[in-house]
Amino acid sequence: MEFPHHGEITGFHVNQTDGLSYQTARVSRAFIPRCRRRIERNPEFCILIRMNSIRLHFLLPTCLGAWMAIAAAQDAIPHRPKLVCDEPEYDFGTVDSSTVVDHTFTIRNEGTLTLEITRVHASCGCTVASISSQQIPPGGESKISARLSLQGRSGPQQKTILIESNDPDRPQFVLTMRGVAGSALNVAPQSILDPRVAPGSTPRGNVIISSGDGAEFAIRSVESTSEKLRASVQTLEDRKAYRIDVELAEPLESGSFSARLVVQTDHPKRPTVEIPVGFIVVREVIVAPREIVFDQEGSDPVSRFVLVRNADGSPVELDGIEPPDGSVMVTTQPFGANGIRVLLRNLVPSREMNGRVLRIHARHAAPIEVPIRVQGAGS
């Protein structure tokens, strides 16, 4: 027999089992703690409730067990945040090594307290991660955006993102991005660079682009970021391999040159290929003497000089001079039409000076080293 909701009793029925009548009722949550405190004060207490003029007699073992079970279940519910991610691993498959992989992870809070994200840290510099919200209320969610650059990488890749939070069960949670960095197109070499170009020469070079995944492709166009750089395409194997030849339109007398080739293809995985191009003029510089030699040790300071000039007779320019010791004073003077005299003062031919080096940095030339040797001073 069921009763409508009234007061703290929401229902009542009688069970007949083994010849005994067990009278039970459904009660509200607020009713349970008060009855439990009353029973604890008086173990012999038997509850008598009047409802709609009907007396309900409860057998003490039955109602006490029900109340205690409900109260224990309520007390057992933990109050804490809980971080959950249904897909903590993302497999991006096999992609070209020029690709930037983007993915968004979703994390949720299935706990009863606010989830606080204290740190989001990627395992390497090639991976960048950001979070939309660091405070996630119960039942809420947040997005973690991850970006992985595969530039210059090949083969299997696995990068992780560490999430630190106030979840007591999982204070550190790991997200993973994995896949394979392949090569839709092979580019060899990756750049055209020559750091030792002779003055007045016309530098040139070439690069070969071939299929890396077996798919056929064609080169649609080749453009340069500089009008001084010319490029032409030669077919090595139809729709499989091409050679791109480059050269400067005019001789490079001094300094350096840099530009980029932008190659457009019809390959769906690598429609654009960029190739850096750079040349540096290096002049041959003559230095005399090639080493500074002292016949014996001494304690008195002396002076010495070194002459510097370009082999082609052009004016020499110095970017800097490193003395062999901080106590040595260095000055320069013009020498002839295009040369320079490097004068060293306060040079002491001691054991400590033996083996030191004078470094001369001439414009558009490799650094020149002039060793100092003191005979009889040992190494």
PDB file of all heavy atoms in Angstrom, residues 131-154:
ATOM      1  N   ILE A 131      46.193  25.878 -23.399  1.00  0.00           N
ATOM      2  CA  ILE A 131      44.929  25.421 -22.823  1.00  0.00           C
ATOM      3  C   ILE A 131      43.938  26.568 -22.822  1.00  0.00           C
ATOM      4  O   ILE A 131      44.298  27.724 -22.598  1.00  0.00           O
ATOM      5  CB  ILE A 131      45.154  24.861 -21.402  1.00  0.00           C
ATOM      6  CG1 ILE A 131      43.860  24.239 -20.859  1.00  0.00           C
ATOM      7  CG2 ILE A 131      45.685  25.930 -20.465  1.00  0.00           C
ATOM      8  CD1 ILE A 131      44.073  23.435 -19.598  1.00  0.00           C
ATOM      9  N   SER A 132      42.675  26.256 -23.088  1.00  0.00           N
ATOM     10  CA  SER A 132      41.646  27.295 -23.168  1.00  0.00           C
ATOM     11  C   SER A 132      41.232  27.807 -21.802  1.00  0.00           C
ATOM     12  O   SER A 132      40.907  28.976 -21.646  1.00  0.00           O
ATOM     13  CB  SER A 132      40.423  26.749 -23.920  1.00  0.00           C
ATOM     14  OG  SER A 132      39.853  25.636 -23.231  1.00  0.00           O
ATOM     15  N   SER A 133      41.220  26.943 -20.777  1.00  0.00           N
ATOM     16  CA  SER A 133      40.841  27.357 -19.431  1.00  0.00           C
ATOM     17  C   SER A 133      41.566  26.486 -18.415  1.00  0.00           C
ATOM     18  O   SER A 133      41.566  25.259 -18.534  1.00  0.00           O
ATOM     19  CB  SER A 133      39.327  27.245 -19.234  1.00  0.00           C
ATOM     20  OG  SER A 133      38.972  27.563 -17.908  1.00  0.00           O
ATOM     21  N   GLN A 134      42.168  27.135 -17.417  1.00  0.00           N
ATOM     22  CA  GLN A 134      42.882  26.388 -16.382  1.00  0.00           C
ATOM     23  C   GLN A 134      42.001  26.059 -15.190  1.00  0.00           C
ATOM     24  O   GLN A 134      42.384  25.243 -14.364  1.00  0.00           O
ATOM     25  CB  GLN A 134      44.110  27.180 -15.921  1.00  0.00           C
ATOM     26  CG  GLN A 134      45.180  27.322 -16.995  1.00  0.00           C
ATOM     27  CD  GLN A 134      46.393  28.046 -16.483  1.00  0.00           C
ATOM     28  OE1 GLN A 134      46.440  29.277 -16.481  1.00  0.00           O
ATOM     29  NE2 GLN A 134      47.389  27.316 -16.052  1.00  0.00           N
ATOM     30  N   GLN A 135      40.848  26.687 -15.076  1.00  0.00           N
ATOM     31  CA  GLN A 135      39.890  26.402 -14.015  1.00  0.00           C
ATOM     32  C   GLN A 135      38.675  25.713 -14.632  1.00  0.00           C
ATOM     33  O   GLN A 135      37.940  26.328 -15.405  1.00  0.00           O
ATOM     34  CB  GLN A 135      39.471  27.695 -13.304  1.00  0.00           C
ATOM     35  CG  GLN A 135      40.620  28.502 -12.718  1.00  0.00           C
ATOM     36  CD  GLN A 135      41.200  27.842 -11.486  1.00  0.00           C
ATOM     37  OE1 GLN A 135      40.488  27.186 -10.713  1.00  0.00           O
ATOM     38  NE2 GLN A 135      42.504  27.992 -11.283  1.00  0.00           N
ATOM     39  N   ILE A 136      38.475  24.442 -14.295  1.00  0.00           N
ATOM     40  CA  ILE A 136      37.390  23.660 -14.885  1.00  0.00           C
ATOM     41  C   ILE A 136      36.418  23.260 -13.779  1.00  0.00           C
ATOM     42  O   ILE A 136      36.774  22.472 -12.889  1.00  0.00           O
ATOM     43  CB  ILE A 136      37.938  22.398 -15.590  1.00  0.00           C
ATOM     44  CG1 ILE A 136      39.063  22.783 -16.572  1.00  0.00           C
ATOM     45  CG2 ILE A 136      36.825  21.673 -16.320  1.00  0.00           C
ATOM     46  CD1 ILE A 136      39.742  21.596 -17.199  1.00  0.00           C
ATOM     47  N   PRO A 137      35.185  23.781 -13.792  1.00  0.00           N
ATOM     48  CA  PRO A 137      34.213  23.426 -12.754  1.00  0.00           C
ATOM     49  C   PRO A 137      33.729  21.992 -12.914  1.00  0.00           C
ATOM     50  O   PRO A 137      33.929  21.377 -13.975  1.00  0.00           O
ATOM     51  CB  PRO A 137      33.090  24.436 -12.997  1.00  0.00           C
ATOM     52  CG  PRO A 137      33.173  24.751 -14.455  1.00  0.00           C
ATOM     53  CD  PRO A 137      34.634  24.709 -14.779  1.00  0.00           C
ATOM     54  N   PRO A 138      33.100  21.435 -11.888  1.00  0.00           N
ATOM     55  CA  PRO A 138      32.538  20.080 -12.011  1.00  0.00           C
ATOM     56  C   PRO A 138      31.595  19.985 -13.207  1.00  0.00           C
ATOM     57  O   PRO A 138      30.723  20.835 -13.400  1.00  0.00           O
ATOM     58  CB  PRO A 138      31.792  19.888 -10.689  1.00  0.00           C
ATOM     59  CG  PRO A 138      32.509  20.779  -9.728  1.00  0.00           C
ATOM     60  CD  PRO A 138      32.919  21.977 -10.523  1.00  0.00           C
ATOM     61  N   GLY A 139      31.829  18.982 -14.043  1.00  0.00           N
ATOM     62  CA  GLY A 139      31.022  18.798 -15.243  1.00  0.00           C
ATOM     63  C   GLY A 139      31.483  19.615 -16.430  1.00  0.00           C
ATOM     64  O   GLY A 139      30.956  19.449 -17.526  1.00  0.00           O
ATOM     65  N   GLY A 140      32.483  20.494 -16.231  1.00  0.00           N
ATOM     66  CA  GLY A 140      32.969  21.330 -17.317  1.00  0.00           C
ATOM     67  C   GLY A 140      34.098  20.676 -18.093  1.00  0.00           C
ATOM     68  O   GLY A 140      34.568  19.586 -17.759  1.00  0.00           O
ATOM     69  N   GLU A 141      34.567  21.357 -19.137  1.00  0.00           N
ATOM     70  CA  GLU A 141      35.652  20.846 -19.970  1.00  0.00           C
ATOM     71  C   GLU A 141      36.550  21.976 -20.432  1.00  0.00           C
ATOM     72  O   GLU A 141      36.188  23.157 -20.369  1.00  0.00           O
ATOM     73  CB  GLU A 141      35.113  20.069 -21.171  1.00  0.00           C
ATOM     74  CG  GLU A 141      34.359  20.916 -22.177  1.00  0.00           C
ATOM     75  CD  GLU A 141      33.874  20.100 -23.368  1.00  0.00           C
ATOM     76  OE1 GLU A 141      33.593  18.898 -23.192  1.00  0.00           O
ATOM     77  OE2 GLU A 141      33.775  20.672 -24.476  1.00  0.00           O
ATOM     78  N   SER A 142      37.735  21.613 -20.920  1.00  0.00           N
ATOM     79  CA  SER A 142      38.700  22.569 -21.447  1.00  0.00           C
ATOM     80  C   SER A 142      39.390  21.948 -22.657  1.00  0.00           C
ATOM     81  O   SER A 142      39.485  20.722 -22.768  1.00  0.00           O
ATOM     82  CB  SER A 142      39.732  22.950 -20.376  1.00  0.00           C
ATOM     83  OG  SER A 142      40.635  23.925 -20.873  1.00  0.00           O
ATOM     84  N   LYS A 143      39.859  22.809 -23.562  1.00  0.00           N
ATOM     85  CA  LYS A 143      40.526  22.359 -24.779  1.00  0.00           C
ATOM     86  C   LYS A 143      42.025  22.626 -24.685  1.00  0.00           C
ATOM     87  O   LYS A 143      42.445  23.700 -24.271  1.00  0.00           O
ATOM     88  CB  LYS A 143      39.962  23.088 -26.000  1.00  0.00           C
ATOM     89  CG  LYS A 143      38.448  23.001 -26.155  1.00  0.00           C
ATOM     90  CD  LYS A 143      37.999  21.602 -26.529  1.00  0.00           C
ATOM     91  CE  LYS A 143      36.504  21.579 -26.810  1.00  0.00           C
ATOM     92  NZ  LYS A 143      36.032  20.215 -27.179  1.00  0.00           N
ATOM     93  N   ILE A 144      42.826  21.631 -25.099  1.00  0.00           N
ATOM     94  CA  ILE A 144      44.272  21.785 -25.174  1.00  0.00           C
ATOM     95  C   ILE A 144      44.664  21.694 -26.647  1.00  0.00           C
ATOM     96  O   ILE A 144      44.507  20.648 -27.277  1.00  0.00           O
ATOM     97  CB  ILE A 144      45.004  20.725 -24.345  1.00  0.00           C
ATOM     98  CG1 ILE A 144      44.688  20.924 -22.863  1.00  0.00           C
ATOM     99  CG2 ILE A 144      46.507  20.779 -24.592  1.00  0.00           C
ATOM    100  CD1 ILE A 144      45.377  19.952 -21.953  1.00  0.00           C
ATOM    101  N   SER A 145      45.144  22.806 -27.189  1.00  0.00           N
ATOM    102  CA  SER A 145      45.554  22.862 -28.591  1.00  0.00           C
ATOM    103  C   SER A 145      47.039  22.527 -28.687  1.00  0.00           C
ATOM    104  O   SER A 145      47.864  23.146 -28.013  1.00  0.00           O
ATOM    105  CB  SER A 145      45.284  24.250 -29.174  1.00  0.00           C
ATOM    106  OG  SER A 145      43.907  24.560 -29.094  1.00  0.00           O
ATOM    107  N   ALA A 146      47.384  21.559 -29.528  1.00  0.00           N
ATOM    108  CA  ALA A 146      48.771  21.118 -29.685  1.00  0.00           C
ATOM    109  C   ALA A 146      49.193  21.281 -31.141  1.00  0.00           C
ATOM    110  O   ALA A 146      48.409  21.024 -32.060  1.00  0.00           O
ATOM    111  CB  ALA A 146      48.926  19.666 -29.253  1.00  0.00           C
ATOM    112  N   ARG A 147      50.436  21.730 -31.336  1.00  0.00           N
ATOM    113  CA  ARG A 147      50.999  21.899 -32.682  1.00  0.00           C
ATOM    114  C   ARG A 147      52.388  21.272 -32.716  1.00  0.00           C
ATOM    115  O   ARG A 147      53.255  21.629 -31.924  1.00  0.00           O
ATOM    116  CB  ARG A 147      51.045  23.364 -33.069  1.00  0.00           C
ATOM    117  CG  ARG A 147      51.874  23.662 -34.292  1.00  0.00           C
ATOM    118  CD  ARG A 147      51.637  25.049 -34.818  1.00  0.00           C
ATOM    119  NE  ARG A 147      50.341  25.129 -35.516  1.00  0.00           N
ATOM    120  CZ  ARG A 147      50.007  26.099 -36.344  1.00  0.00           C
ATOM    121  NH1 ARG A 147      50.864  27.087 -36.579  1.00  0.00           N
ATOM    122  NH2 ARG A 147      48.840  26.106 -36.939  1.00  0.00           N
ATOM    123  N   LEU A 148      52.595  20.335 -33.645  1.00  0.00           N
ATOM    124  CA  LEU A 148      53.862  19.623 -33.782  1.00  0.00           C
ATOM    125  C   LEU A 148      54.457  19.925 -35.149  1.00  0.00           C
ATOM    126  O   LEU A 148      53.847  19.629 -36.184  1.00  0.00           O
ATOM    127  CB  LEU A 148      53.649  18.116 -33.614  1.00  0.00           C
ATOM    128  CG  LEU A 148      54.830  17.193 -33.958  1.00  0.00           C
ATOM    129  CD1 LEU A 148      56.041  17.518 -33.101  1.00  0.00           C
ATOM    130  CD2 LEU A 148      54.431  15.729 -33.808  1.00  0.00           C
ATOM    131  N   SER A 149      55.671  20.496 -35.159  1.00  0.00           N
ATOM    132  CA  SER A 149      56.372  20.779 -36.409  1.00  0.00           C
ATOM    133  C   SER A 149      57.289  19.607 -36.743  1.00  0.00           C
ATOM    134  O   SER A 149      58.133  19.218 -35.931  1.00  0.00           O
ATOM    135  CB  SER A 149      57.186  22.066 -36.279  1.00  0.00           C
ATOM    136  OG  SER A 149      57.978  22.267 -37.441  1.00  0.00           O
ATOM    137  N   LEU A 150      57.122  19.068 -37.935  1.00  0.00           N
ATOM    138  CA  LEU A 150      57.938  17.931 -38.381  1.00  0.00           C
ATOM    139  C   LEU A 150      59.075  18.364 -39.295  1.00  0.00           C
ATOM    140  O   LEU A 150      59.729  17.512 -39.898  1.00  0.00           O
ATOM    141  CB  LEU A 150      57.050  16.909 -39.103  1.00  0.00           C
ATOM    142  CG  LEU A 150      55.931  16.296 -38.264  1.00  0.00           C
ATOM    143  CD1 LEU A 150      55.081  15.373 -39.122  1.00  0.00           C
ATOM    144  CD2 LEU A 150      56.501  15.525 -37.074  1.00  0.00           C
ATOM    145  N   GLN A 151      59.335  19.653 -39.387  1.00  0.00           N
ATOM    146  CA  GLN A 151      60.376  20.159 -40.269  1.00  0.00           C
ATOM    147  C   GLN A 151      61.729  19.548 -39.916  1.00  0.00           C
ATOM    148  O   GLN A 151      62.187  19.609 -38.772  1.00  0.00           O
ATOM    149  CB  GLN A 151      60.470  21.684 -40.151  1.00  0.00           C
ATOM    150  CG  GLN A 151      61.401  22.328 -41.156  1.00  0.00           C
ATOM    151  CD  GLN A 151      60.872  22.256 -42.573  1.00  0.00           C
ATOM    152  OE1 GLN A 151      59.672  22.387 -42.789  1.00  0.00           O
ATOM    153  NE2 GLN A 151      61.746  22.039 -43.527  1.00  0.00           N
ATOM    154  N   GLY A 152      62.370  18.928 -40.909  1.00  0.00           N
ATOM    155  CA  GLY A 152      63.685  18.331 -40.702  1.00  0.00           C
ATOM    156  C   GLY A 152      63.667  16.995 -39.994  1.00  0.00           C
ATOM    157  O   GLY A 152      64.725  16.446 -39.673  1.00  0.00           O
ATOM    158  N   ARG A 153      62.484  16.415 -39.742  1.00  0.00           N
ATOM    159  CA  ARG A 153      62.397  15.139 -39.040  1.00  0.00           C
ATOM    160  C   ARG A 153      61.990  14.030 -39.999  1.00  0.00           C
ATOM    161  O   ARG A 153      61.334  14.285 -41.013  1.00  0.00           O
ATOM    162  CB  ARG A 153      61.405  15.226 -37.877  1.00  0.00           C
ATOM    163  CG  ARG A 153      61.794  16.273 -36.851  1.00  0.00           C
ATOM    164  CD  ARG A 153      60.801  16.363 -35.711  1.00  0.00           C
ATOM    165  NE  ARG A 153      61.228  17.354 -34.751  1.00  0.00           N
ATOM    166  CZ  ARG A 153      62.064  17.120 -33.765  1.00  0.00           C
ATOM    167  NH1 ARG A 153      62.548  15.909 -33.583  1.00  0.00           N
ATOM    168  NH2 ARG A 153      62.421  18.085 -32.937  1.00  0.00           N
ATOM    169  N   SER A 154      62.349  12.808 -39.654  1.00  0.00           N
ATOM    170  CA  SER A 154      61.975  11.664 -40.477  1.00  0.00           C
ATOM    171  C   SER A 154      61.817  10.438 -39.600  1.00  0.00           C
ATOM    172  O   SER A 154      62.421  10.348 -38.512  1.00  0.00           O
ATOM    173  CB  SER A 154      63.039  11.402 -41.554  1.00  0.00           C
ATOM    174  OG  SER A 154      64.291  11.075 -40.961  1.00  0.00           O
TER     175      SER A 154
END
